[in-house]
Amino acid sequence: MARMEQVNALLQQELAFLITQYVPLKGGLVTVVWVDCTHDLREATVAVSVLPEKFAGTVLGQLRKKSGIFASHLRKRIKMKRLPSFRWQLDTTESNAAVLEDIFQSL
């Protein structure tokens, strides 16, 4: 596994843990789908899946607000020269797959 893949996987795992701690979602689920860091480690794009989707906007807002808290905790848990800033985005793969499945079933 390449070094960047290891960094991405480690950040994904640690962020998933921190999200369960700091972004409680009653009756819902937040999953970190993937993390992609730039080569200079200045920025990391973090894709999350939110179920049910009606909570997506609220969750993205909370994640953006708590990015500083996440970074603070990650600095204590991970030894890296530079910790990237996080850019949060919603992963819509599941909903897109459901739409395609409905289309195929109607054929």
Side-chain angles (χ1 to χ4, degrees), residues 27-88:
L29 176 68
V30 181
T31 306
V32 179
V33 179
W34 52 265
V35 175
D36 186 31
C37 291
T38 57
H39 290 290
D40 60 2
L41 292 177
R42 291 192 185 271
E43 191 172 273
T45 302
V46 183
V48 294
S49 174
V50 181
L51 295 174
E53 289 183 11
K54 66 181 181 181
F55 294 129
T58 305
V59 168
L60 282 176
Q62 288 181 6
L63 291 172
R64 289 181 180 126
K65 284 181 187 175
K66 296 184 179 183
S67 288
I69 294 171
F70 296 155
S72 172
H73 284 283
L74 287 171
R75 279 188 195 94
K76 295 174 188 171
R77 295 174 58 97
I78 300 175
K79 301 297 180 211
M80 291 176 64
K81 283 186 179 181
R82 176 180 305 202
L83 190 67
S85 60
F86 302 116
R87 197 173 76 214
W88 302 94

Side-chain angles (χ1 to χ4, degrees), residues 3-47:
R3 182 74 172 155
M4 269 326 244
E5 290 174 0
Q6 290 176 339
V7 170
N8 290 337
L10 180 62
L11 286 174
Q12 180 180 0
Q13 178 182 353
E14 293 295 328
L15 285 169
F17 173 76
L18 289 171
I19 287 170
T20 61
Q21 301 270 317
Y22 291 97
V23 185
L25 187 60
K26 286 241 188 231
L29 176 68
V30 181
T31 306
V32 179
V33 179
W34 52 265
V35 175
D36 186 31
C37 291
T38 57
H39 290 290
D40 60 2
L41 292 177
R42 291 192 185 271
E43 191 172 273
T45 302
V46 183

